[in-house]
Amino acid sequence: MKKNNMQPIDINGNEFKRAGFVLVLLAGTFLTIINQTLLVTALPKIMGDLDINAIDAQWLITSFMLISGIMIPTSAFLLNTITNRTLFFIAMGSFAIGTVICGLSTTFTTLLLGRIVQAIGSGLMIPLMQTLMFMVYPAERRGEAMGLVGIVIAFSPAIAPTVSGWIVDYYEWRYLFYILLPIVGVNILLAFFFMKNIIKLTKPKLDVFSLLLSSLGLGSLLYGISIAGNVGWQNKISWVACIIGIVIIILFSRRQFKLAQPFLELNVFKSRTFTLSTIIVAIIFMTMIGSEILLPIYTQSVKEFSALQSGLILLPGALVLGVISPIAGKLFDKYGIRKIAMIGMFILTIASLPFLFLTKETATWWIVCLYSLRMLGMGLVAMPLATAGINALPNKLISHGSAINNTVRQVFASLGSAIMVGIMSATVNNYEGIPALLKGLNNGFMSAFFLIVAAFILCFFIKSKETTDEN
């Protein structure tokens, strides 16, 4: 809730400082999101220390993705049932407990349990943050707000491999969690002073069957995609899981339209701007996550760089993304979405094309420049589009729009890595040696390029302004 365009007010009409409120939200989200990719470069050392194979180790990442993905749709119901202050402490408390379990783990089972508990907090925190950021800023400044969100959502997973690579090169992998814990504690402490209740509760009735359908459908779909990403699409289990997940999600969707109080309000898709922006942003994140998996494979397997060196190659792009996101937000507030989306997608498309032609001799500086240019385009378009989509919804649907936006993005991000790695693997199986790997990487990047072109075309159908006056 806002009071004119000055400081926001809570549900009791009391004015409070926006800066502290936003700081706590963004810091909490940064800590939870960075864990999505924090273990990527640490898996080999974890495998050796806990005596597990690659398939078991992959579950440390897969389980986090599955649980957080399942929790995201539930956030819309919880935000209207539990005060946002209480929900924040539940999310960060769960994440803190999971971090402690991970740090103290001496077996694979306890480490996996810790990751699951962490993921519960992460799945709640991301849509909670996005919803509250929309509520605490007036409509004409939401681009600025989501520019800050863009730093967190895209920047944190981008720098995680670099940070992780440095830590595991010099310390044991448990320090990944030891370092996080005091920061999480400070953030929770600050929240006692700065976190306010700003959402009036409607306390909808819980439809248990919808909750079950949502969890089973998303869980099955994400599991199937994850299996495909790990062992390839030729695995029958991945297809069966994906088909079951899609069928259950269709049943869930049909049920929502019949309920007087839907568990998740799917009428948000009646807004063309919301629908198009959600699809385009999902495709962008799809190619981003896939590229962040393929590039380290290229730099480590073809260029023979270390994990830390590989992470450092991605770091300038992450910094560009962090710088451009708030600038893009202000440009959106001033000029609307259409122009900035077209410019951003053009840059992203042009910068993605050379990755189809990587060779062993491709200069490292050229890769750094191209990746940074891709991040520039991504930063110009991703969060402004997400902002335009949710801006087109009435306030009462913002929590549902945020939940749906994040759920779709989570599914597409997982799907992107599965498709790009799957295409790379299928190509490698038909050739031999480094030339086969290069061919596979080029084909994987080619799939990303075609997806980006499709997203670029969709941008032509977005209106520059589509907002609602409904509260």
mmCIF file with all atom_site columns, all heavy atoms in Angstrom, residues 240-266:
data_model
loop_
_atom_site.group_PDB
_atom_site.id
_atom_site.type_symbol
_atom_site.label_atom_id
_atom_site.label_alt_id
_atom_site.label_comp_id
_atom_site.label_asym_id
_atom_site.label_entity_id
_atom_site.label_seq_id
_atom_site.pdbx_PDB_ins_code
_atom_site.Cartn_x
_atom_site.Cartn_y
_atom_site.Cartn_z
_atom_site.occupancy
_atom_site.B_iso_or_equiv
_atom_site.pdbx_formal_charge
_atom_site.auth_seq_id
_atom_site.auth_comp_id
_atom_site.auth_asym_id
_atom_site.auth_atom_id
_atom_site.pdbx_PDB_model_num
ATOM 1   N N   . VAL A 1 240 ? 7.554   -40.231 -19.554 1.00 0.00 ? 240 VAL A N   1
ATOM 2   C CA  . VAL A 1 240 ? 6.370   -40.626 -18.774 1.00 0.00 ? 240 VAL A CA  1
ATOM 3   C C   . VAL A 1 240 ? 6.085   -39.597 -17.688 1.00 0.00 ? 240 VAL A C   1
ATOM 4   O O   . VAL A 1 240 ? 4.936   -39.165 -17.496 1.00 0.00 ? 240 VAL A O   1
ATOM 5   C CB  . VAL A 1 240 ? 6.570   -42.025 -18.151 1.00 0.00 ? 240 VAL A CB  1
ATOM 6   C CG1 . VAL A 1 240 ? 5.434   -42.337 -17.169 1.00 0.00 ? 240 VAL A CG1 1
ATOM 7   C CG2 . VAL A 1 240 ? 6.635   -43.090 -19.234 1.00 0.00 ? 240 VAL A CG2 1
ATOM 8   N N   . ALA A 1 241 ? 7.137   -39.166 -16.981 1.00 0.00 ? 241 ALA A N   1
ATOM 9   C CA  . ALA A 1 241 ? 6.969   -38.186 -15.903 1.00 0.00 ? 241 ALA A CA  1
ATOM 10  C C   . ALA A 1 241 ? 6.452   -36.856 -16.451 1.00 0.00 ? 241 ALA A C   1
ATOM 11  O O   . ALA A 1 241 ? 5.563   -36.234 -15.858 1.00 0.00 ? 241 ALA A O   1
ATOM 12  C CB  . ALA A 1 241 ? 8.287   -37.984 -15.168 1.00 0.00 ? 241 ALA A CB  1
ATOM 13  N N   . CYS A 1 242 ? 6.998   -36.423 -17.590 1.00 0.00 ? 242 CYS A N   1
ATOM 14  C CA  . CYS A 1 242 ? 6.561   -35.159 -18.190 1.00 0.00 ? 242 CYS A CA  1
ATOM 15  C C   . CYS A 1 242 ? 5.096   -35.233 -18.638 1.00 0.00 ? 242 CYS A C   1
ATOM 16  O O   . CYS A 1 242 ? 4.319   -34.296 -18.409 1.00 0.00 ? 242 CYS A O   1
ATOM 17  C CB  . CYS A 1 242 ? 7.441   -34.798 -19.382 1.00 0.00 ? 242 CYS A CB  1
ATOM 18  S SG  . CYS A 1 242 ? 9.081   -34.192 -18.938 1.00 0.00 ? 242 CYS A SG  1
ATOM 19  N N   . ILE A 1 243 ? 4.713   -36.336 -19.272 1.00 0.00 ? 243 ILE A N   1
ATOM 20  C CA  . ILE A 1 243 ? 3.332   -36.489 -19.740 1.00 0.00 ? 243 ILE A CA  1
ATOM 21  C C   . ILE A 1 243 ? 2.365   -36.531 -18.568 1.00 0.00 ? 243 ILE A C   1
ATOM 22  O O   . ILE A 1 243 ? 1.317   -35.861 -18.579 1.00 0.00 ? 243 ILE A O   1
ATOM 23  C CB  . ILE A 1 243 ? 3.196   -37.770 -20.594 1.00 0.00 ? 243 ILE A CB  1
ATOM 24  C CG1 . ILE A 1 243 ? 3.959   -37.593 -21.915 1.00 0.00 ? 243 ILE A CG1 1
ATOM 25  C CG2 . ILE A 1 243 ? 1.729   -38.083 -20.882 1.00 0.00 ? 243 ILE A CG2 1
ATOM 26  C CD1 . ILE A 1 243 ? 4.094   -38.851 -22.720 1.00 0.00 ? 243 ILE A CD1 1
ATOM 27  N N   . ILE A 1 244 ? 2.721   -37.282 -17.520 1.00 0.00 ? 244 ILE A N   1
ATOM 28  C CA  . ILE A 1 244 ? 1.872   -37.334 -16.319 1.00 0.00 ? 244 ILE A CA  1
ATOM 29  C C   . ILE A 1 244 ? 1.738   -35.940 -15.716 1.00 0.00 ? 244 ILE A C   1
ATOM 30  O O   . ILE A 1 244 ? 0.653   -35.503 -15.337 1.00 0.00 ? 244 ILE A O   1
ATOM 31  C CB  . ILE A 1 244 ? 2.451   -38.320 -15.285 1.00 0.00 ? 244 ILE A CB  1
ATOM 32  C CG1 . ILE A 1 244 ? 2.325   -39.761 -15.802 1.00 0.00 ? 244 ILE A CG1 1
ATOM 33  C CG2 . ILE A 1 244 ? 1.737   -38.173 -13.937 1.00 0.00 ? 244 ILE A CG2 1
ATOM 34  C CD1 . ILE A 1 244 ? 3.002   -40.786 -14.918 1.00 0.00 ? 244 ILE A CD1 1
ATOM 35  N N   . GLY A 1 245 ? 2.869   -35.219 -15.645 1.00 0.00 ? 245 GLY A N   1
ATOM 36  C CA  . GLY A 1 245 ? 2.853   -33.870 -15.084 1.00 0.00 ? 245 GLY A CA  1
ATOM 37  C C   . GLY A 1 245 ? 1.958   -32.929 -15.870 1.00 0.00 ? 245 GLY A C   1
ATOM 38  O O   . GLY A 1 245 ? 1.177   -32.168 -15.286 1.00 0.00 ? 245 GLY A O   1
ATOM 39  N N   . ILE A 1 246 ? 2.048   -32.981 -17.191 1.00 0.00 ? 246 ILE A N   1
ATOM 40  C CA  . ILE A 1 246 ? 1.231   -32.109 -18.042 1.00 0.00 ? 246 ILE A CA  1
ATOM 41  C C   . ILE A 1 246 ? -0.249  -32.422 -17.873 1.00 0.00 ? 246 ILE A C   1
ATOM 42  O O   . ILE A 1 246 ? -1.084  -31.513 -17.768 1.00 0.00 ? 246 ILE A O   1
ATOM 43  C CB  . ILE A 1 246 ? 1.659   -32.247 -19.520 1.00 0.00 ? 246 ILE A CB  1
ATOM 44  C CG1 . ILE A 1 246 ? 3.054   -31.643 -19.710 1.00 0.00 ? 246 ILE A CG1 1
ATOM 45  C CG2 . ILE A 1 246 ? 0.655   -31.564 -20.444 1.00 0.00 ? 246 ILE A CG2 1
ATOM 46  C CD1 . ILE A 1 246 ? 3.665   -31.928 -21.063 1.00 0.00 ? 246 ILE A CD1 1
ATOM 47  N N   . VAL A 1 247 ? -0.596  -33.712 -17.842 1.00 0.00 ? 247 VAL A N   1
ATOM 48  C CA  . VAL A 1 247 ? -1.996  -34.121 -17.672 1.00 0.00 ? 247 VAL A CA  1
ATOM 49  C C   . VAL A 1 247 ? -2.548  -33.604 -16.339 1.00 0.00 ? 247 VAL A C   1
ATOM 50  O O   . VAL A 1 247 ? -3.657  -33.058 -16.270 1.00 0.00 ? 247 VAL A O   1
ATOM 51  C CB  . VAL A 1 247 ? -2.139  -35.659 -17.758 1.00 0.00 ? 247 VAL A CB  1
ATOM 52  C CG1 . VAL A 1 247 ? -3.548  -36.089 -17.334 1.00 0.00 ? 247 VAL A CG1 1
ATOM 53  C CG2 . VAL A 1 247 ? -1.840  -36.140 -19.174 1.00 0.00 ? 247 VAL A CG2 1
ATOM 54  N N   . ILE A 1 248 ? -1.771  -33.759 -15.271 1.00 0.00 ? 248 ILE A N   1
ATOM 55  C CA  . ILE A 1 248 ? -2.220  -33.312 -13.944 1.00 0.00 ? 248 ILE A CA  1
ATOM 56  C C   . ILE A 1 248 ? -2.355  -31.791 -13.906 1.00 0.00 ? 248 ILE A C   1
ATOM 57  O O   . ILE A 1 248 ? -3.301  -31.256 -13.308 1.00 0.00 ? 248 ILE A O   1
ATOM 58  C CB  . ILE A 1 248 ? -1.251  -33.803 -12.845 1.00 0.00 ? 248 ILE A CB  1
ATOM 59  C CG1 . ILE A 1 248 ? -1.281  -35.330 -12.761 1.00 0.00 ? 248 ILE A CG1 1
ATOM 60  C CG2 . ILE A 1 248 ? -1.635  -33.209 -11.487 1.00 0.00 ? 248 ILE A CG2 1
ATOM 61  C CD1 . ILE A 1 248 ? -0.278  -35.911 -11.793 1.00 0.00 ? 248 ILE A CD1 1
ATOM 62  N N   . ILE A 1 249 ? -1.425  -31.077 -14.548 1.00 0.00 ? 249 ILE A N   1
ATOM 63  C CA  . ILE A 1 249 ? -1.501  -29.614 -14.586 1.00 0.00 ? 249 ILE A CA  1
ATOM 64  C C   . ILE A 1 249 ? -2.749  -29.161 -15.343 1.00 0.00 ? 249 ILE A C   1
ATOM 65  O O   . ILE A 1 249 ? -3.411  -28.184 -14.960 1.00 0.00 ? 249 ILE A O   1
ATOM 66  C CB  . ILE A 1 249 ? -0.224  -29.026 -15.221 1.00 0.00 ? 249 ILE A CB  1
ATOM 67  C CG1 . ILE A 1 249 ? 0.955   -29.203 -14.263 1.00 0.00 ? 249 ILE A CG1 1
ATOM 68  C CG2 . ILE A 1 249 ? -0.410  -27.544 -15.555 1.00 0.00 ? 249 ILE A CG2 1
ATOM 69  C CD1 . ILE A 1 249 ? 2.302   -28.844 -14.856 1.00 0.00 ? 249 ILE A CD1 1
ATOM 70  N N   . ILE A 1 250 ? -3.114  -29.884 -16.423 1.00 0.00 ? 250 ILE A N   1
ATOM 71  C CA  . ILE A 1 250 ? -4.347  -29.568 -17.155 1.00 0.00 ? 250 ILE A CA  1
ATOM 72  C C   . ILE A 1 250 ? -5.565  -29.770 -16.250 1.00 0.00 ? 250 ILE A C   1
ATOM 73  O O   . ILE A 1 250 ? -6.483  -28.927 -16.215 1.00 0.00 ? 250 ILE A O   1
ATOM 74  C CB  . ILE A 1 250 ? -4.464  -30.444 -18.418 1.00 0.00 ? 250 ILE A CB  1
ATOM 75  C CG1 . ILE A 1 250 ? -3.390  -30.025 -19.430 1.00 0.00 ? 250 ILE A CG1 1
ATOM 76  C CG2 . ILE A 1 250 ? -5.861  -30.326 -19.036 1.00 0.00 ? 250 ILE A CG2 1
ATOM 77  C CD1 . ILE A 1 250 ? -3.298  -30.936 -20.635 1.00 0.00 ? 250 ILE A CD1 1
ATOM 78  N N   . LEU A 1 251 ? -5.573  -30.858 -15.477 1.00 0.00 ? 251 LEU A N   1
ATOM 79  C CA  . LEU A 1 251 ? -6.679  -31.114 -14.541 1.00 0.00 ? 251 LEU A CA  1
ATOM 80  C C   . LEU A 1 251 ? -6.734  -30.020 -13.478 1.00 0.00 ? 251 LEU A C   1
ATOM 81  O O   . LEU A 1 251 ? -7.815  -29.553 -13.100 1.00 0.00 ? 251 LEU A O   1
ATOM 82  C CB  . LEU A 1 251 ? -6.490  -32.483 -13.870 1.00 0.00 ? 251 LEU A CB  1
ATOM 83  C CG  . LEU A 1 251 ? -6.630  -33.708 -14.785 1.00 0.00 ? 251 LEU A CG  1
ATOM 84  C CD1 . LEU A 1 251 ? -6.280  -34.987 -14.003 1.00 0.00 ? 251 LEU A CD1 1
ATOM 85  C CD2 . LEU A 1 251 ? -8.043  -33.805 -15.350 1.00 0.00 ? 251 LEU A CD2 1
ATOM 86  N N   . PHE A 1 252 ? -5.569  -29.609 -12.994 1.00 0.00 ? 252 PHE A N   1
ATOM 87  C CA  . PHE A 1 252 ? -5.481  -28.525 -12.012 1.00 0.00 ? 252 PHE A CA  1
ATOM 88  C C   . PHE A 1 252 ? -6.065  -27.236 -12.592 1.00 0.00 ? 252 PHE A C   1
ATOM 89  O O   . PHE A 1 252 ? -6.853  -26.536 -11.928 1.00 0.00 ? 252 PHE A O   1
ATOM 90  C CB  . PHE A 1 252 ? -4.017  -28.314 -11.614 1.00 0.00 ? 252 PHE A CB  1
ATOM 91  C CG  . PHE A 1 252 ? -3.767  -27.052 -10.833 1.00 0.00 ? 252 PHE A CG  1
ATOM 92  C CD1 . PHE A 1 252 ? -4.033  -26.991 -9.473  1.00 0.00 ? 252 PHE A CD1 1
ATOM 93  C CD2 . PHE A 1 252 ? -3.263  -25.914 -11.460 1.00 0.00 ? 252 PHE A CD2 1
ATOM 94  C CE1 . PHE A 1 252 ? -3.804  -25.820 -8.752  1.00 0.00 ? 252 PHE A CE1 1
ATOM 95  C CE2 . PHE A 1 252 ? -3.032  -24.748 -10.753 1.00 0.00 ? 252 PHE A CE2 1
ATOM 96  C CZ  . PHE A 1 252 ? -3.305  -24.704 -9.392  1.00 0.00 ? 252 PHE A CZ  1
ATOM 97  N N   . SER A 1 253 ? -5.694  -26.923 -13.830 1.00 0.00 ? 253 SER A N   1
ATOM 98  C CA  . SER A 1 253 ? -6.158  -25.689 -14.474 1.00 0.00 ? 253 SER A CA  1
ATOM 99  C C   . SER A 1 253 ? -7.676  -25.695 -14.644 1.00 0.00 ? 253 SER A C   1
ATOM 100 O O   . SER A 1 253 ? -8.350  -24.686 -14.374 1.00 0.00 ? 253 SER A O   1
ATOM 101 C CB  . SER A 1 253 ? -5.472  -25.520 -15.832 1.00 0.00 ? 253 SER A CB  1
ATOM 102 O OG  . SER A 1 253 ? -4.066  -25.484 -15.680 1.00 0.00 ? 253 SER A OG  1
ATOM 103 N N   . ARG A 1 254 ? -8.224  -26.814 -15.097 1.00 0.00 ? 254 ARG A N   1
ATOM 104 C CA  . ARG A 1 254 ? -9.677  -26.922 -15.278 1.00 0.00 ? 254 ARG A CA  1
ATOM 105 C C   . ARG A 1 254 ? -10.400 -26.714 -13.949 1.00 0.00 ? 254 ARG A C   1
ATOM 106 O O   . ARG A 1 254 ? -11.447 -26.059 -13.893 1.00 0.00 ? 254 ARG A O   1
ATOM 107 C CB  . ARG A 1 254 ? -10.029 -28.287 -15.866 1.00 0.00 ? 254 ARG A CB  1
ATOM 108 C CG  . ARG A 1 254 ? -9.627  -28.447 -17.322 1.00 0.00 ? 254 ARG A CG  1
ATOM 109 C CD  . ARG A 1 254 ? -9.790  -29.885 -17.782 1.00 0.00 ? 254 ARG A CD  1
ATOM 110 N NE  . ARG A 1 254 ? -11.175 -30.322 -17.697 1.00 0.00 ? 254 ARG A NE  1
ATOM 111 C CZ  . ARG A 1 254 ? -12.066 -30.202 -18.674 1.00 0.00 ? 254 ARG A CZ  1
ATOM 112 N NH1 . ARG A 1 254 ? -11.713 -29.655 -19.822 1.00 0.00 ? 254 ARG A NH1 1
ATOM 113 N NH2 . ARG A 1 254 ? -13.308 -30.635 -18.522 1.00 0.00 ? 254 ARG A NH2 1
ATOM 114 N N   . ARG A 1 255 ? -9.821  -27.234 -12.884 1.00 0.00 ? 255 ARG A N   1
ATOM 115 C CA  . ARG A 1 255 ? -10.456 -27.105 -11.570 1.00 0.00 ? 255 ARG A CA  1
ATOM 116 C C   . ARG A 1 255 ? -10.466 -25.650 -11.095 1.00 0.00 ? 255 ARG A C   1
ATOM 117 O O   . ARG A 1 255 ? -11.435 -25.199 -10.476 1.00 0.00 ? 255 ARG A O   1
ATOM 118 C CB  . ARG A 1 255 ? -9.743  -27.992 -10.550 1.00 0.00 ? 255 ARG A CB  1
ATOM 119 C CG  . ARG A 1 255 ? -10.390 -27.987 -9.159  1.00 0.00 ? 255 ARG A CG  1
ATOM 120 C CD  . ARG A 1 255 ? -9.788  -29.041 -8.248  1.00 0.00 ? 255 ARG A CD  1
ATOM 121 N NE  . ARG A 1 255 ? -10.415 -29.008 -6.932  1.00 0.00 ? 255 ARG A NE  1
ATOM 122 C CZ  . ARG A 1 255 ? -11.563 -29.590 -6.628  1.00 0.00 ? 255 ARG A CZ  1
ATOM 123 N NH1 . ARG A 1 255 ? -12.244 -30.245 -7.566  1.00 0.00 ? 255 ARG A NH1 1
ATOM 124 N NH2 . ARG A 1 255 ? -12.057 -29.514 -5.405  1.00 0.00 ? 255 ARG A NH2 1
ATOM 125 N N   . GLN A 1 256 ? -9.397  -24.912 -11.390 1.00 0.00 ? 256 GLN A N   1
ATOM 126 C CA  . GLN A 1 256 ? -9.312  -23.522 -10.929 1.00 0.00 ? 256 GLN A CA  1
ATOM 127 C C   . GLN A 1 256 ? -10.432 -22.663 -11.506 1.00 0.00 ? 256 GLN A C   1
ATOM 128 O O   . GLN A 1 256 ? -10.944 -21.761 -10.839 1.00 0.00 ? 256 GLN A O   1
ATOM 129 C CB  . GLN A 1 256 ? -7.951  -22.916 -11.290 1.00 0.00 ? 256 GLN A CB  1
ATOM 130 C CG  . GLN A 1 256 ? -6.760  -23.644 -10.693 1.00 0.00 ? 256 GLN A CG  1
ATOM 131 C CD  . GLN A 1 256 ? -6.975  -24.057 -9.257  1.00 0.00 ? 256 GLN A CD  1
ATOM 132 O OE1 . GLN A 1 256 ? -7.080  -23.227 -8.347  1.00 0.00 ? 256 GLN A OE1 1
ATOM 133 N NE2 . GLN A 1 256 ? -7.061  -25.371 -9.018  1.00 0.00 ? 256 GLN A NE2 1
ATOM 134 N N   . PHE A 1 257 ? -10.814 -22.938 -12.742 1.00 0.00 ? 257 PHE A N   1
ATOM 135 C CA  . PHE A 1 257 ? -11.869 -22.143 -13.380 1.00 0.00 ? 257 PHE A CA  1
ATOM 136 C C   . PHE A 1 257 ? -13.256 -22.473 -12.832 1.00 0.00 ? 257 PHE A C   1
ATOM 137 O O   . PHE A 1 257 ? -14.211 -21.728 -13.044 1.00 0.00 ? 257 PHE A O   1
ATOM 138 C CB  . PHE A 1 257 ? -11.844 -22.352 -14.897 1.00 0.00 ? 257 PHE A CB  1
ATOM 139 C CG  . PHE A 1 257 ? -10.663 -21.709 -15.572 1.00 0.00 ? 257 PHE A CG  1
ATOM 140 C CD1 . PHE A 1 257 ? -9.702  -22.486 -16.214 1.00 0.00 ? 257 PHE A CD1 1
ATOM 141 C CD2 . PHE A 1 257 ? -10.496 -20.335 -15.554 1.00 0.00 ? 257 PHE A CD2 1
ATOM 142 C CE1 . PHE A 1 257 ? -8.604  -21.898 -16.835 1.00 0.00 ? 257 PHE A CE1 1
ATOM 143 C CE2 . PHE A 1 257 ? -9.412  -19.735 -16.166 1.00 0.00 ? 257 PHE A CE2 1
ATOM 144 C CZ  . PHE A 1 257 ? -8.465  -20.519 -16.807 1.00 0.00 ? 257 PHE A CZ  1
ATOM 145 N N   . LYS A 1 258 ? -13.370 -23.591 -12.110 1.00 0.00 ? 258 LYS A N   1
ATOM 146 C CA  . LYS A 1 258 ? -14.664 -23.998 -11.548 1.00 0.00 ? 258 LYS A CA  1
ATOM 147 C C   . LYS A 1 258 ? -14.840 -23.555 -10.089 1.00 0.00 ? 258 LYS A C   1
ATOM 148 O O   . LYS A 1 258 ? -15.951 -23.576 -9.569  1.00 0.00 ? 258 LYS A O   1
ATOM 149 C CB  . LYS A 1 258 ? -14.816 -25.521 -11.626 1.00 0.00 ? 258 LYS A CB  1
ATOM 150 C CG  . LYS A 1 258 ? -14.886 -26.061 -13.049 1.00 0.00 ? 258 LYS A CG  1
ATOM 151 C CD  . LYS A 1 258 ? -14.975 -27.586 -13.052 1.00 0.00 ? 258 LYS A CD  1
ATOM 152 C CE  . LYS A 1 258 ? -15.013 -28.135 -14.471 1.00 0.00 ? 258 LYS A CE  1
ATOM 153 N NZ  . LYS A 1 258 ? -15.054 -29.624 -14.491 1.00 0.00 ? 258 LYS A NZ  1
ATOM 154 N N   . LEU A 1 259 ? -13.736 -23.184 -9.444  1.00 0.00 ? 259 LEU A N   1
ATOM 155 C CA  . LEU A 1 259 ? -13.786 -22.822 -8.023  1.00 0.00 ? 259 LEU A CA  1
ATOM 156 C C   . LEU A 1 259 ? -14.175 -21.361 -7.836  1.00 0.00 ? 259 LEU A C   1
ATOM 157 O O   . LEU A 1 259 ? -13.741 -20.486 -8.588  1.00 0.00 ? 259 LEU A O   1
ATOM 158 C CB  . LEU A 1 259 ? -12.429 -23.072 -7.361  1.00 0.00 ? 259 LEU A CB  1
ATOM 159 C CG  . LEU A 1 259 ? -11.963 -24.531 -7.258  1.00 0.00 ? 259 LEU A CG  1
ATOM 160 C CD1 . LEU A 1 259 ? -10.537 -24.590 -6.721  1.00 0.00 ? 259 LEU A CD1 1
ATOM 161 C CD2 . LEU A 1 259 ? -12.893 -25.325 -6.335  1.00 0.00 ? 259 LEU A CD2 1
ATOM 162 N N   . ALA A 1 260 ? -14.975 -21.100 -6.793  1.00 0.00 ? 260 ALA A N   1
ATOM 163 C CA  . ALA A 1 260 ? -15.334 -19.712 -6.462  1.00 0.00 ? 260 ALA A CA  1
ATOM 164 C C   . ALA A 1 260 ? -14.110 -18.950 -5.969  1.00 0.00 ? 260 ALA A C   1
ATOM 165 O O   . ALA A 1 260 ? -13.940 -17.757 -6.251  1.00 0.00 ? 260 ALA A O   1
ATOM 166 C CB  . ALA A 1 260 ? -16.434 -19.703 -5.407  1.00 0.00 ? 260 ALA A CB  1
ATOM 167 N N   . GLN A 1 261 ? -13.244 -19.639 -5.215  1.00 0.00 ? 261 GLN A N   1
ATOM 168 C CA  . GLN A 1 261 ? -11.991 -19.062 -4.735  1.00 0.00 ? 261 GLN A CA  1
ATOM 169 C C   . GLN A 1 261 ? -10.844 -19.961 -5.205  1.00 0.00 ? 261 GLN A C   1
ATOM 170 O O   . GLN A 1 261 ? -10.446 -20.900 -4.505  1.00 0.00 ? 261 GLN A O   1
ATOM 171 C CB  . GLN A 1 261 ? -11.987 -18.954 -3.204  1.00 0.00 ? 261 GLN A CB  1
ATOM 172 C CG  . GLN A 1 261 ? -12.893 -17.868 -2.649  1.00 0.00 ? 261 GLN A CG  1
ATOM 173 C CD  . GLN A 1 261 ? -12.745 -17.745 -1.139  1.00 0.00 ? 261 GLN A CD  1
ATOM 174 O OE1 . GLN A 1 261 ? -12.807 -18.733 -0.407  1.00 0.00 ? 261 GLN A OE1 1
ATOM 175 N NE2 . GLN A 1 261 ? -12.546 -16.524 -0.664  1.00 0.00 ? 261 GLN A NE2 1
ATOM 176 N N   . PRO A 1 262 ? -10.304 -19.690 -6.389  1.00 0.00 ? 262 PRO A N   1
ATOM 177 C CA  . PRO A 1 262 ? -9.250  -20.561 -6.937  1.00 0.00 ? 262 PRO A CA  1
ATOM 178 C C   . PRO A 1 262 ? -8.010  -20.583 -6.050  1.00 0.00 ? 262 PRO A C   1
ATOM 179 O O   . PRO A 1 262 ? -7.660  -19.572 -5.421  1.00 0.00 ? 262 PRO A O   1
ATOM 180 C CB  . PRO A 1 262 ? -8.938  -19.935 -8.295  1.00 0.00 ? 262 PRO A CB  1
ATOM 181 C CG  . PRO A 1 262 ? -10.112 -19.076 -8.615  1.00 0.00 ? 262 PRO A CG  1
ATOM 182 C CD  . PRO A 1 262 ? -10.640 -18.599 -7.296  1.00 0.00 ? 262 PRO A CD  1
ATOM 183 N N   . PHE A 1 263 ? -7.359  -21.730 -6.008  1.00 0.00 ? 263 PHE A N   1
ATOM 184 C CA  . PHE A 1 263 ? -6.075  -21.853 -5.313  1.00 0.00 ? 263 PHE A CA  1
ATOM 185 C C   . PHE A 1 263 ? -5.044  -20.964 -6.009  1.00 0.00 ? 263 PHE A C   1
ATOM 186 O O   . PHE A 1 263 ? -4.227  -20.309 -5.362  1.00 0.00 ? 263 PHE A O   1
ATOM 187 C CB  . PHE A 1 263 ? -5.633  -23.323 -5.323  1.00 0.00 ? 263 PHE A CB  1
ATOM 188 C CG  . PHE A 1 263 ? -4.316  -23.584 -4.667  1.00 0.00 ? 263 PHE A CG  1
ATOM 189 C CD1 . PHE A 1 263 ? -4.200  -23.575 -3.290  1.00 0.00 ? 263 PHE A CD1 1
ATOM 190 C CD2 . PHE A 1 263 ? -3.185  -23.847 -5.434  1.00 0.00 ? 263 PHE A CD2 1
ATOM 191 C CE1 . PHE A 1 263 ? -2.978  -23.822 -2.676  1.00 0.00 ? 263 PHE A CE1 1
ATOM 192 C CE2 . PHE A 1 263 ? -1.962  -24.094 -4.834  1.00 0.00 ? 263 PHE A CE2 1
ATOM 193 C CZ  . PHE A 1 263 ? -1.863  -24.083 -3.451  1.00 0.00 ? 263 PHE A CZ  1
ATOM 194 N N   . LEU A 1 264 ? -5.093  -20.947 -7.348  1.00 0.00 ? 264 LEU A N   1
ATOM 195 C CA  . LEU A 1 264 ? -4.228  -20.085 -8.155  1.00 0.00 ? 264 LEU A CA  1
ATOM 196 C C   . LEU A 1 264 ? -5.089  -19.472 -9.252  1.00 0.00 ? 264 LEU A C   1
ATOM 197 O O   . LEU A 1 264 ? -5.694  -20.190 -10.052 1.00 0.00 ? 264 LEU A O   1
ATOM 198 C CB  . LEU A 1 264 ? -3.078  -20.898 -8.759  1.00 0.00 ? 264 LEU A CB  1
ATOM 199 C CG  . LEU A 1 264 ? -1.937  -20.106 -9.407  1.00 0.00 ? 264 LEU A CG  1
ATOM 200 C CD1 . LEU A 1 264 ? -1.261  -19.193 -8.390  1.00 0.00 ? 264 LEU A CD1 1
ATOM 201 C CD2 . LEU A 1 264 ? -0.908  -21.052 -10.019 1.00 0.00 ? 264 LEU A CD2 1
ATOM 202 N N   . GLU A 1 265 ? -5.157  -18.159 -9.288  1.00 0.00 ? 265 GLU A N   1
ATOM 203 C CA  . GLU A 1 265 ? -6.059  -17.452 -10.206 1.00 0.00 ? 265 GLU A CA  1
ATOM 204 C C   . GLU A 1 265 ? -5.465  -17.404 -11.613 1.00 0.00 ? 265 GLU A C   1
ATOM 205 O O   . GLU A 1 265 ? -4.558  -16.612 -11.912 1.00 0.00 ? 265 GLU A O   1
ATOM 206 C CB  . GLU A 1 265 ? -6.295  -16.032 -9.680  1.00 0.00 ? 265 GLU A CB  1
ATOM 207 C CG  . GLU A 1 265 ? -7.264  -15.229 -10.510 1.00 0.00 ? 265 GLU A CG  1
ATOM 208 C CD  . GLU A 1 265 ? -8.607  -15.904 -10.669 1.00 0.00 ? 265 GLU A CD  1
ATOM 209 O OE1 . GLU A 1 265 ? -9.433  -15.796 -9.743  1.00 0.00 ? 265 GLU A OE1 1
ATOM 210 O OE2 . GLU A 1 265 ? -8.815  -16.530 -11.732 1.00 0.00 ? 265 GLU A OE2 1
ATOM 211 N N   . LEU A 1 266 ? -5.975  -18.271 -12.497 1.00 0.00 ? 266 LEU A N   1
ATOM 212 C CA  . LEU A 1 266 ? -5.459  -18.363 -13.860 1.00 0.00 ? 266 LEU A CA  1
ATOM 213 C C   . LEU A 1 266 ? -6.072  -17.338 -14.804 1.00 0.00 ? 266 LEU A C   1
ATOM 214 O O   . LEU A 1 266 ? -5.668  -17.244 -15.973 1.00 0.00 ? 266 LEU A O   1
ATOM 215 C CB  . LEU A 1 266 ? -5.689  -19.775 -14.413 1.00 0.00 ? 266 LEU A CB  1
ATOM 216 C CG  . LEU A 1 266 ? -5.021  -20.908 -13.623 1.00 0.00 ? 266 LEU A CG  1
ATOM 217 C CD1 . LEU A 1 266 ? -5.284  -22.250 -14.291 1.00 0.00 ? 266 LEU A CD1 1
ATOM 218 C CD2 . LEU A 1 266 ? -3.517  -20.679 -13.488 1.00 0.00 ? 266 LEU A CD2 1
#
